[in-house]
Structure formats: C-alpha cells, structure tokens
Amino acid sequence: MKITRYILGMLVFALLISCESEEKYVSKEAIKDQILKELAVPVSKEENRVVTYTNKRSAYFQTQSHVLNSELYNWFDGWNVGQKRIFSDYQIEIDGKAFDRANADVIAYPHYLQRATEAAVEKLILFDDQDVIYVSLDHVKGKRTKLTLLGEQIKAESSDGEATYYTSSEAKDMILAVAPSHKETITKEGEANVTASGRGGFYISIADSKENAMQLIKDARVSHGEWFQLRADRMTTLVTSNTYVKTDDAHFDKALMWLTLTMDELVTHQRGYGIYAGIPWFNEYWGRDTFISMPGGTLVLGETEVAKKILLSFSEVQDTKRNSKYYGRIPNIVKMESLNYHTTDGTPRFIGQMLDYIKYSGDNELIKTIYPTVKRSVDGAIKNWVNKKGYLTHEDADTWMDARREPDHQPYSPRGSFANDIQALWYQQLNAAAYFAKVTNHKSDSERWSKLAEKMRANFNHDFFDKEHSYMADRIDHDDKPDFQFRPNQLFAMDFMTDDVAKMKLTREIWEHLVYPWGVASLSQEDPNFHPYHLAWEHYHKDAAYHNGTIWQWNNGFAMQRMIESGQPDIAFQLFENMNAQSLDMGAVGSMNENADAFPHKGETYPKLTGTYMQAWSNAEQLRVWYQYFLGIRPNAIENTLVLAPRFPSKINKIEYKEKILNAYLDGVYYSKNGIEKYIYTLDGKDVTIRFDHALFQPVDIDVKSGEKVEITREGKELTLTVFNPDGKQRELKKEHLDETLQKRQETSDEIFKGTEFCKPDMDREYECMKQTFQKQ
C-alpha cells in the first residue's frame, strides 16, 4: 500500500499547485481521474488509430480517432451488444454543421476518448454494466446540437419530445433511444438546446422497449457521475493497488499500465464470466483462449475472485453427456446462444488454471465444489481419446492451430493424431487432477492418473526425439510417424526435457528460427509450406497462412520464459520492450494484436499487424511473463510459500512495483549500482515463507510475518538476507555464498547464447505460396 499512498500524495501536491489559490480542497475522485489522465495517448489524424471500450458485460464500442477507414475492421465499427452490430457510428452537428472529427485534436484515455475542435469538446464514454453510451459535448460554440446514429442496419423510427428512437436490423427485438444528456426537449429533427454553460451532449441506450430505453437514460442523468467514478476507481485500483510498476522509463511504465487496462476490458460477464478472445470479431469466450489468458488477465492482476467466477462459469457448461465423444470437455466456444466442444486443449488448460488459481488464492474449498468436473474431464478423455501409450489423441484441427479449409473442413495445419503441446497440457492436467483427487480423498483416482501421467512422459521422450534432429517433433501423425516441422509448439513441451544444456541449445534454435523482433512465427521460414504474409489474397486464402508462418504474439510469452529460464533475461527483454512499444505506439491504442506478417512488405521496415487488434492472450502473456518471470513473483498458497525469483535485465537498474497476491499486497524495490544488487520486499496481510531464488545462489527460505521487511543484498560472491520487524528492528540475518554449479551453468549459458539474434526475414528466397494464384470468392 505504501507505493499507492506515495502516488496519491504526489498527485494531490501536483493538483494543488496547479489550481487557483482559493481552491484548497482536491477530492479523491479528482486524484483518481488524474492518475488515468496521466496515461493520455495523443493521436494525430495521420495515425488515425483504432480505439475501443467495453462495458465489461456484453457490449463494446469500436471507433477510430478521426475517420472510419479501416479495411480490416470497418465491418465492426460502432456499438456491438450481445454479439450484434447495433449501429456503425454517430454524427454530431452543431447549429446544422457537422462536428469536424477528421481534424480534431484527439486524446485517448483508458476511460474515455476526447476529440476537441473550435466548435466543442467531445468525450465518448462507456460505463460498467450499463447499456448506455455517453457522448459528452462541452464548451459548445453554438445554440443547438444533434446526434444521428449511422449504419446500414440502423433506422430512425419515431420521436416523442423526450428522445429519438431507432431500431436495428441485427437486434430486431430491441429499441434504441437517443436523448439529451441534460433534461431537455428534443425536436422531431433530433435537435436539443445547448445549456448556458455550454453543455449539449447525448445519451444512447438500448433496451427491450421504448420505456426501458428511456428509463436507462433517466437513470444515467442521475447516476452518470457515480457510474463514471466507479469505472475510474476500478481502473485506478488495477494500476496502483493490485499492480504497479515504476521504472526510469516512463514510456515503459505507461505501456504496462495500458496493457493491464485493455486486458481487463476483455474480462466480461456476457454469458457467465469469461474473457473475450479478441475484439472485434471474437467478442465471445473461447475455452482455450480464456485459460491461456487467465494468469495474465486475472491472477497476476490480483483478480482472483474474477478467476474463480470464470472457472465456475465454464464448469457449468461442461459436456456431461456420457454417450458424447466430447464427454468431460470444457467448451471451445461459448456464444450467447450456443456451445462448441470442438477442441482438445481447452480442457487441460481449464484444469491447469484451476491449480494456478488455488496457488494464488489458497481457496481449497473450490476443489471440493469442482471435483466432479475434474473427474469427468479426465475420465472422459481416457474413455474417448487416450491411446495405449497414454497420449491424448485428437483430430487434425483440434489444437490451437485450428484453421480449416471450407467447405470440406480440411485442416491447413494438420496436427493429429497427437501433438507435442497437447501432451504437455495433458501431463499437467493429469498431475493437477491427481492432486485434487488426493485432497478430496479420492485415492484410487489420484494413483490411477499419476501412473498414466508418468507412462505418457516416459513414452514422450522416446517418441518425439530422434538422432537426426536437434529439436522435438511437432506431432506424431496418423501413421504413427514423427512430423518434424519446426514450430513454436515445442516451447510448451520443453519441461519434458531433462538435459539442461540441450534445452538451452533448443531455446536458441527456436529464437533464431522463429522469433522475429515483432513476435513468434508459427512456422520456420525454411519450411516449404511457409507463408511470409498473413494477408496476401492474390496468392492464397488467409487461413492458409494463419498457422503456417503468421506471427502469433501470444507465443512470445513462452519464448521469453524459456529464454529467462536459460539464464538470458537481456535477450528476452529485447522482445518484451518491442511488444510494449507496439502496444502503445502502433495499431489500436494500448493493446497488442493477435497476429502480424512474418515479413515486412518491400519498401517497409515493419510488418503489418493483422488479426484482431485487441487480443486477450497476446496482452495476457505479456503481463504474465513480466510478473512471473522478470519480477519472478510466483505464489504457492498450497505450501504457504512465495517464490521470489527476480531475473531483471541489465537495462533495468531501478524499479518499484506492487502486486496483490495471496490476498495480501507485495511491495518490491530493486536497484543496482556499481555491481551491488539490492532487493527489498514487504508483504502486508499474510505470514508466509519467502523463497528467494537468485540465479547464482541456491534458493533461501525465510519465514516472514505480515508487514515485515526483507532486505537482500548481493555483493560479489555473497548474498545477505535481513528481516526487519514492522518497527524497524532487525529480527533475522542470513548469508549465502555463490554456488559454483550455478555459476558454471551461467557461464555455459553465456557461451551457448553468445551472439544470439532475432530471426531475420529471408526476403530474397522464392516461396512456393507466392507463386500461387487465388480467386477470392
């Protein structure tokens, strides 16, 4: 809490000195709003960036800062509610003249979009859990304002002096109301008077009747200040209390805060609780995407209660039909009106995230509640999908590489009958389920599943490696032969490897063959099926490239994790910084894309960003690897242990940070000067065993009570750990000496990774796919 109080104190001071002398009071609300305003991103009309806000339930509004001209995303422009496109945009007029959005001065904030011209200042605002949009107009230079909804699907129906009412062809059972933000008569032409103070904004609402739509607007007139503040408070808490980062690089800090907030926008309760896979076209829950995103999207952000709700929501829609071949599976897709179970990896990830949730929260009661779901998930897989070797088999398009050619459903990237990443997830699922069985006294289940896990592990190291390749097979095909396409999926299965040096060498090979400065490719450019561009319609369907060369930024997380585990945080940090810069300065404001081209187009220096512009697992993996592997914060409530394994790159010499974990608050400080490293930790709210894990020293356990401060100094070959009581008195002192084995490991790592570079596009090679001609239908 100390860092948060410091921030608030400094903002109070800044606000006080900036106000007129007669103003002596600054509200807490103004302070919190100021924190978000510090994250302002000005957008020029040349940049014309995409900006999107959700209402945290089932609606989002997509726009561009100046002009709607995105060929990739324009189908989804405007207000989308419950997976329906309600209208595409709105037009503001002041005294009959259109508001000049194209030439406005635009600033994107996490909680609203501001456009300013000489005629007025417009703010676009959404509220949590409300089907209301607030288009605020202040400093209006005119007498009358008007707001008209636009789009081929929207139609004005009537006006009654209170509002103009619309219907949308995509939501025929709903009514929209447009009414002045202040209680004012609206003419049949949709005009309203500007107040004496220069206000002239509008509310837009949607409901199942005119009366209910208008009631929402009446509620907004009364409560919009409270609604706005609740939204601002939630956001502020996320970036100052639940999490917080301050380094010497303000741009770096700002990018992390934006990623935190845009990630949180995707955590919704549209149909139960879940995480939108991506905006604009994946505004639905995918089991795979949700549970890849859950660590970075909830757990490391201190949102364990939300994580619990997500787990329970997905548990409720498990396939429980015993005669179904998908018995026990968690849905692949949860839409408003349908469920789809056509994937293999969503269920293992669900069980794995159940265990992660327990480690972060200590909520053992949930194990009892969900154990029937756990048992069905394992026994259903064993019944229908597990072979004699213990592998979890699957169909060709049932992994995350799931693109299929229509109408014959043929996979573009076949990965049956069992893929390396699926076996790693299956192994984790079996071990997590065995633990849950043990805790709930289902001993026979625990023993049975543990034995199966070990059987599969033993077979894996035999079947997925051979003497001819330095890397593992991507899959075992339907003829029981290993397929050695060089793909990033092996990043997820490297824990099966027991040779530390071999893992390091493989990590370098993956980095230099798949990891570009802009992200991880789905296939090596040496492969004959490699596609350098995601979108090259003149040559091939985009799905042919989707998993055959296209960059997938969610894979960045494990690429960086493996590099850090290999002892090379500096190399990993190059990619991390690139992604932060991408999120803040390119594409949609504050978020990471789903995809990118592997190669820049000729004459350009950076590839095109593609796929959804606000992708959950891209954002989440960036956040996860930051907290769990750079900061090294890994709680384990099962053992009441907090592992602190910092792996700071040399570029970071000073940092303050905070994270809400174990239902408590961890404050951390790190600085390095003249070869001396200093780490300071305080955990408020819980007694715990801290396990400090330095790369060159054996892990040290030290019992710490709530509020006690742990200071750790590394100077040369000595590590000193000191515990201070809350009153500042020294309570315990420990010293450790540099471990020669770990030092030799680091020396080996430095030698293996010497000269490592990002993968370089081979622009001169002729790629078979670029010789093709495709007729887009």
Side-chain angles (χ1 to χ4, degrees), residues 524-528 530 532 599 761-768 770-771:
S524 168
Q525 60 184 304
E526 285 84 14
D527 193 284
F530 175 76
F599 291 179
D762 187 349
M763 304 288 289
D764 296 327
R765 181 182 300 179
E766 289 190 7
Y767 295 94
E768 288 301 315
M770 302 303 290
K771 300 176 184 178

Side-chain angles (χ1 to χ4, degrees), residues 333 441 479 578 602:
I333 307 175
N441 294 316
D479 295 324
N578 289 352
K602 288 184 179 180

Side-chain angles (χ1 to χ4, degrees), residues 400-402 413 415 474 485-492 510 513-516 518-525 527 529-534 542-556 594-598:
W400 75 273
M401 292 185 166
D402 57 0
S413 310
R415 299 193 68 226
D474 186 62
Q485 280 195 302
F486 197 83
R487 293 185 178 277
N489 303 300
Q490 57 194 313
L491 287 164
F492 305 101
I510 292 170
H513 286 83
L514 292 174
V515 184
Y516 297 84
W518 36 84
V520 179
S522 47
L523 183 65
S524 168
Q525 60 184 304
D527 193 284
N529 197 33
F530 175 76
H531 292 61
Y533 307 108
H534 185 188
K542 66 182 178 68
D543 284 346
Y546 207 32
H547 302 106
N548 292 315
T550 297
I551 298 293
W552 285 83
Q553 294 176 344
W554 79 274
N555 284 327
N556 296 354
E594 177 188 13
N595 306 117
D597 288 341

Side-chain angles (χ1 to χ4, degrees), residues 268 272-275 285 287 290-291 294-295 298-299 303-318 330-331 346-361 363 366-367 369-370 373-374 436:
T268 69
Y273 279 79
I275 301 175
Y285 306 152
T290 290
F291 296 110
M294 204 171 98
T298 62
L299 298 180
E303 298 285 277
T304 52
E305 284 302 311
V306 176
K308 180 178 182 178
K309 291 175 181 177
I310 293 172
L311 289 164
L312 288 169
S313 291
F314 272 81
S315 177
E316 290 173 0
V317 289
Q318 182 183 38
I330 298 300
T347 305
R349 290 187 181 279
F350 167 82
I351 301 300
Q353 281 313 297
M354 175 71 182
L355 183 60
D356 279 357
Y357 164 75
I358 301 300
K359 288 181 177 180
Y360 269 82
S361 68
D363 180 12
L366 188 61
I367 299 174
T369 302
I370 273 186
T373 305
V374 173
F436 297 145

Side-chain angles (χ1 to χ4, degrees), residues 645-689:
R647 299 293 186 267
F648 292 114
S650 58
K651 194 170 184 178
I652 291 181
N653 294 307
K654 185 177 182 181
I655 182 171
E656 299 175 9
Y657 55 93
K658 171 186 286 292
E659 187 177 6
K660 183 183 176 184
I661 49 170
L662 300 170
N663 298 310
Y665 292 88
L666 176 71
D667 286 303
V669 176
Y670 164 79
Y671 56 88
S672 176
K673 189 175 182 180
N674 299 326
I676 300 174
E677 302 167 15
K678 190 84 168 185
Y679 307 84
I680 303 172
Y681 299 102
T682 305
L683 185 68
D684 280 324
K686 187 173 180 60
D687 300 346
V688 72
T689 297

Side-chain angles (χ1 to χ4, degrees), residues 138-206:
D138 286 307
H139 308 291
V140 178
K141 302 297 190 297
K143 296 182 179 180
R144 299 180 75 79
T145 58
K146 179 181 179 180
L147 186 147
T148 305
L149 301 185
L150 306 176
E152 61 183 15
Q153 72 275 49
I154 199 77
K155 180 181 179 182
E157 291 288 349
S158 62
S159 177
D160 61 6
E162 278 194 311
T164 301
Y165 299 99
Y166 290 79
T167 57
S168 173
S169 61
E170 294 202 10
K172 295 179 180 179
D173 56 343
M174 305 296 282
I175 297 291
L176 288 91
V178 175
S181 57
H182 46 293
K183 191 175 182 180
E184 177 66 57
T185 300
I186 187 170
T187 68
K188 290 184 178 180
E189 291 75 28
E191 292 186 328
N193 290 331
V194 175
T195 66
S197 62
R199 293 178 59 232
F202 292 86
Y203 291 113
I204 308 166
S205 69
I206 187 169

